[in-house]
Amino acid sequence: MSINRSREEIFEALYESMHFMAKSASEYDLGRKEEGKRVAVELRKLLHDTNRSCSILSQLNLKQNQFFDSVEVQLSDDFLNWTGLSSTSIAVGKEGVPVGVEEKPVLGYLIDVAQKKKFGDWWESVIIRDFQKNCFTRKDIVLKIANQDNGAHVDPRMDENYYSLTRENSMGIRVGVKNSETSEWQWTGSNAIHFAAVRQIAHEVFFSLYQITELQGDKFLEFYVNMYKPKNS
């Protein structure tokens, strides 16, 4: 025999999940990129529905609200590769010597800036296309991390395209790095674009939740959103 949860209890689960996600997002921002795995797990709990499970937002009937889409530069066939939720730069060490490729979420203040989409359109929108023309949606990235890549589960087999993106630098972005011991130069690329993307997805979700009438006035969401508010506004 099962007992239905009250709406108040499900709201408590929402708040708890938001705080878990915010803590991991903060750790990610401090440099612990692997915290992206914990972020993905909370996003799955909040957003993903299956035939056997119902997400927190669905249980609260909140997925009919629109979600912020922070992609600024739209995908074009002219691009060799593309990511909509992060920026790529060369990480520089001592004396200005390159030490690798760095992916960062774009973050930013989204209200009155980013467009909004219905959940299904937002969830299924392409946010990454690699050099091999493989495309990844928000749903792809969140579920591959959570279900296969040591988020909530370690799968003995991984999706080939996701593996290539996260292990083999299928974005094709690389930089020459000098080995400090041998003084030889070698090529290195970024395999962390999925963590930057999932951090930005969490950012979009926080802003989207802030806009929901039933959550307006929530002190945590107000604090998070105001951290990114332009100082002159």
Side-chain angles (χ1 to χ4, degrees):
M1 180 178 178
S2 60
I3 300 175
N4 290 332
R5 294 176 184 266
S6 67
R7 186 171 178 83
E8 290 74 20
E9 188 174 355
I10 299 173
F11 261 109
E12 286 300 319
L14 169 61
Y15 295 133
E16 186 175 65
S17 187
M18 286 194 309
H19 283 84
F20 286 156
M21 187 163 68
K23 183 175 181 180
S24 290
S26 178
E27 289 293 314
Y28 172 93
D29 294 344
L30 291 173
R32 295 192 61 192
K33 304 305 181 187
E34 67 276 11
E35 285 293 328
K37 297 178 181 182
R38 297 181 189 269
V39 173
V41 172
E42 297 307 320
L43 287 169
R44 187 186 69 171
K45 287 162 54 179
L46 288 170
L47 304 171
H48 183 54
D49 296 307
T50 70
N51 292 332
R52 296 184 296 175
S53 64
C54 188
S55 67
I56 292 174
L57 292 191
S58 286
Q59 291 181 59
L60 294 170
N61 297 316
L62 297 180
K63 281 173 70 173
Q64 72 270 26
N65 292 276
Q66 293 190 315
F67 284 70
F68 281 110
D69 182 351
S70 58
V71 173
E72 295 181 356
V73 179
Q74 300 300 315
L75 176 61
S76 168
D77 290 337
D78 295 332
F79 297 155
L80 296 177
N81 53 36
W82 174 82
T83 173
L85 299 184
S86 63
S87 62
T88 304
S89 61
I90 297 175
V92 178
K94 295 180 179 179
E95 300 178 357
V97 177
V99 295
V101 177
E102 188 173 20
E103 301 283 351
K104 292 183 178 181
V106 295
L107 299 176
Y109 190 71
L110 305 185
I111 297 174
D112 298 326
V113 177
Q115 63 174 317
K116 294 180 182 180
K117 290 183 176 180
K118 293 180 180 180
F119 174 78
D121 295 334
W122 174 83
W123 191 225
E124 299 282 358
S125 292
V126 173
I127 56 169
I128 297 171
R129 189 178 74 184
D130 68 14
F131 193 73
Q132 301 167 14
K133 306 303 181 185
N134 298 311
C135 293
F136 303 86
T137 65
R138 289 177 177 84
K139 179 180 178 180
D140 291 330
I141 294 298
V142 169
L143 297 187
K144 292 296 187 297
I145 296 174
N147 295 345
Q148 296 184 8
D149 203 7
N150 203 22
H153 181 70
V154 179
D155 202 315
R157 297 182 61 83
M158 299 180 69
D159 176 82
E160 181 179 1
N161 292 341
Y162 174 80
Y163 184 90
S164 181
L165 178 73
T166 60
R167 270 73 172 174
E168 298 176 339
N169 187 29
S170 67
M171 291 297 288
I173 302 171
R174 59 180 187 168
V175 64
V177 175
K178 190 174 184 180
N179 188 302
S180 59
E181 296 180 358
T182 66
S183 295
E184 294 181 351
W185 288 85
Q186 58 190 29
W187 290 105
T188 185
S190 171
N191 291 318
I193 191 171
H194 55 315
F195 292 148
V198 84
R199 172 65 181 93
Q200 185 66 23
I201 295 169
H203 187 73
E204 293 175 330
V205 169
F206 282 133
F207 270 81
S208 300
L209 292 174
Y210 176 75
Q211 295 285 282
I212 294 176
T213 301
E214 290 183 83
L215 296 176
Q216 288 181 356
D218 179 78
K219 298 300 182 184
F220 164 73
L221 288 173
E222 285 185 358
F223 175 78
Y224 183 90
V225 168
N226 285 333
M227 285 196 302
Y228 299 93
K229 193 171 185 178
K231 293 182 179 179
N232 58 354
S233 62

